[in-house]
Amino acid sequence: YLDRYGAAYEEFLRYLEKQTDLYASAHTWKDYVEAAKDIGLDLTVHNVLFPKKLATAHDEVIKIRKLKAMEIEQKKAAERFDKLMKLYGMEKDGYFIRAPHDCAEIIGEGKALEHCVGGYAARHANGETTILFMRSAAWPDKPLYTIEMQGKELIQVHGYHNRTAPRDIPAANEFFESWLKWVKGGSKRPKLHKKTKETERAISA
């Protein structure tokens, strides 16, 4: 890093000697430089490469990098929405299944149902797995069950406090089983007649 940004080793040592813990500060500085580079700071500027308050600067760039990473994941999750809705979206008999619009929704789902799906947000955004929401049409904004899929294969489905779901509600279970069968069959949707398509476009306009 020192050669890359035109700093002398002696200058680096003098800088570290001003910090509280020489060994810990060397590691903190390395982490700081990597994070600063990731968020686009100009490390050829002396005060940027060697900030006066290293610990404070370190914490700040780490925070910004996390926020930047979350923004990227949010964008990736949003970009997956339309494709996932074609593969998995269904509404029938008072229930529906949809994809999350972004990572924030997945985290919110986990908090509402008090289970660990929030930890899957990044994996969903990156396409490593697929998280879906099952809701009641009567309460579309209230989390009911969370589903994890790998392609056509069901990985898990859980409700509040990770209870097995949706077998505890017969109507919900009937919808879920028919949905799963539909997905395994290729998510085939009935072809719309020309008049029906025109009507749908008029409604959505």
Side-chain angles (χ1 to χ4, degrees):
Y1 291 118
L2 295 175
D3 290 340
R4 184 184 303 173
Y5 300 113
Y9 184 68
E10 293 76 11
E11 182 182 22
F12 176 58
L13 287 179
R14 287 196 299 271
Y15 172 72
L16 292 182
E17 286 172 355
K18 295 178 182 178
Q19 310 303 319
T20 305
D21 185 325
L22 183 67
Y23 180 76
S25 294
H27 286 275
T28 301
W29 181 82
K30 182 176 181 292
D31 288 344
Y32 161 78
V33 169
E34 290 177 349
K37 177 170 63 69
D38 289 343
I39 66 173
L41 295 186
D42 186 359
L43 290 164
T44 62
V45 176
H46 185 272
N47 289 340
V48 177
L49 185 62
F50 298 124
K52 187 175 181 180
K53 296 181 179 180
L54 176 58
T56 301
H58 169 272
D59 292 347
E60 186 63 26
V61 294
I62 292 295
K63 185 190 300 182
I64 294 172
R65 184 170 66 179
K66 285 181 179 179
L67 289 173
K68 187 174 181 180
M70 178 59 79
E71 288 176 1
I72 293 171
E73 289 170 358
Q74 290 280 61
K75 183 178 179 181
K76 287 180 179 179
E79 289 172 348
R80 292 191 74 198
F81 179 80
D82 289 341
K83 182 179 179 180
L84 293 179
M85 287 300 290
K86 290 179 181 178
L87 293 173
Y88 302 109
M90 174 189 276
E91 182 171 359
K92 182 182 177 184
D93 300 330
Y95 293 94
F96 67 90
I97 288 174
R98 71 167 176 86
H101 288 92
D102 52 37
C103 292
E105 276 201 321
I106 298 175
I107 294 169
E109 180 92 349
K111 290 179 179 178
L113 295 179
E114 296 187 16
H115 57 40
C116 62
V117 75
Y120 289 67
R123 291 174 58 199
H124 171 87
N126 292 320
E128 297 171 32
T129 195
T130 295
I131 301 301
L132 302 168
F133 303 152
M134 179 172 166
R135 305 276 172 87
S136 166
W139 297 282
D141 298 322
K142 181 180 179 180
L144 185 60
Y145 301 119
T146 311
I147 304 162
E148 182 186 6
M149 298 289 291
Q150 292 276 353
K152 297 179 182 180
E153 296 302 313
L154 173 67
I155 304 302
Q156 57 183 330
V157 51
H158 292 293
Y160 185 68
H161 270 188
N162 278 322
R163 75 170 183 266
T164 302
R167 291 197 294 267
D168 47 356
I169 301 176
N173 189 59
E174 184 176 347
F175 165 78
F176 178 78
E177 292 296 336
S178 67
W179 169 81
L180 190 59
K181 183 178 179 181
W182 173 73
V183 170
K184 289 180 178 292
S187 308
K188 296 177 181 178
R189 300 180 186 276
K191 292 183 179 180
L192 298 176
H193 295 297
K194 183 178 179 181
K195 190 172 182 179
T196 307
K197 289 182 179 179
E198 291 173 349
T199 303
E200 282 200 348
R201 280 197 294 266
I203 293 173
S204 60

